[in-house]
Amino acid sequence: MTLDDRDEVRAAVAARYAGLARAVRAGQAVTDGDPGDPSCGAPAYPDTSGLPEAAVRASLGCGNPVAVADLRPGETVLDLGSGGGIDVLLSARRVGSTGKAYGLDMTEEMLDLARANARQAGAENVEFLRGQIEAIPLPDCSVDVIISNCVINLSTDRAAVFAESYRVLRPGGRLGISDILAEDHLTPAQQRERGAEVGCIAGAPSFTEYRDGLVRAGFTGISITPTHQVGDGVHSAIIRAIRP
């Protein structure tokens, strides 16, 4: 994929999610997958009580990374591709007043929505940042946990995402990710047959590619567990890893 191709895909992804953010603020129902799938979007969360309604409706993920990450009081957590902010707000509850929850997103529309949701929720230990997940605007060794929900698969430079994640994690820090992965035998053409690039499936990495990328970045303790099928040969999965 050339730089021009990468820029084109990134622009398409940004445009799609900016449009979804505007739709949520207009009171519309939105979805980024099968609306009947209980493992995607808001149904993936067993308890959304007390959250702003717009944060729940803007949930467009493929799992529940907050549960995956096993957050603890006092920790600093970063959500890559934070969207409307549901995972940041839930993380803020878990880490408590002595902890901090950051959300990183590239679309101003999603950031505006997330900040409004945080104000409505009265969350004081959250901060939303604008930027690319391939170039995280935080210092080295500054967070304990990185979460992400069906976002890294959309990146056109996942090696940079994994390297940046390793950089900002403290030694002993961990990843807790929900993402879309393709079975190793699927060709790019077969993936394109199953979904659009901006809709998670066409650009989804294979299981082996994802694991190898984490290994090359320096992560250990890697586990990748499929949770449910979202297409023929394409799965939502839980990914855990540790920065040693």
Side-chain angles (χ1 to χ4, degrees):
M1 184 179 287
T2 68
L3 286 176
D4 286 345
D5 290 337
R6 290 181 176 182
D7 289 343
E8 184 177 339
V9 171
R10 183 179 291 118
V13 171
R16 173 174 172 75
Y17 287 94
L20 290 171
R22 289 191 293 269
V24 170
R25 300 203 79 167
Q28 300 173 24
V30 299
T31 182
D32 201 28
D34 180 356
D37 187 343
S39 300
C40 293
Y45 300 88
D47 183 10
T48 57
S49 59
L51 292 179
E53 185 264 344
V56 177
R57 282 195 295 109
S59 175
L60 300 168
C62 57
N64 182 354
V66 179
V68 171
D70 188 27
L71 301 176
R72 304 158 192 161
E75 289 188 319
T76 298
V77 59
L78 166 65
D79 181 15
L80 298 181
S82 49
I86 186 170
D87 291 315
V88 173
L89 296 178
L90 290 171
S91 296
R93 289 181 178 178
R94 293 282 189 93
V95 301
S97 60
T98 59
K100 181 74 176 279
Y102 288 102
L104 174 64
D105 207 278
M106 67 176 174
T107 57
E108 198 61 51
E109 291 85 352
M110 277 296 184
L111 289 167
D112 288 345
L113 175 62
R115 289 168 180 148
N117 287 332
R119 288 192 297 270
Q120 186 178 340
E124 298 182 353
N125 60 336
V126 306
E127 183 177 348
F128 290 97
L129 309 169
R130 186 172 188 182
Q132 307 288 339
I133 63 174
E134 298 85 0
I136 298 170
L138 286 173
D140 295 358
C141 303
S142 56
V143 301
D144 299 296
V145 184
I146 288 177
I147 64 173
S148 188
N149 199 346
C150 198
V151 172
I152 295 175
N153 66 87
L154 294 170
S155 173
T156 56
D157 189 356
R158 282 181 286 271
V161 178
F162 295 146
E164 279 289 275
S165 297
Y166 189 95
R167 178 185 67 81
V168 301
L169 279 171
R170 298 182 177 115
R174 58 199 189 276
L175 294 178
I177 297 169
S178 296
D179 218 339
I180 301 294
L181 280 70
E183 294 177 9
D184 290 344
H185 65 85
L186 288 185
T187 66
Q190 289 172 324
Q191 285 182 253
R192 285 192 294 272
E193 291 172 359
R194 288 155 171 79
E197 190 96 35
V198 297
C200 299
I201 292 178
S206 71
F207 283 81
T208 296
E209 179 187 349
Y210 214 99
R211 181 182 293 277
D212 289 350
L214 290 169
V215 169
R216 282 192 294 270
F219 286 98
T220 60
I222 301 165
S223 67
I224 301 177
T225 307
T227 56
H228 61 284
Q229 187 166 296
V230 297
D232 184 14
V234 184
H235 304 264
S236 177
I238 291 169
I239 300 98
R240 293 182 173 94
I242 298 171
R243 173 181 171 169

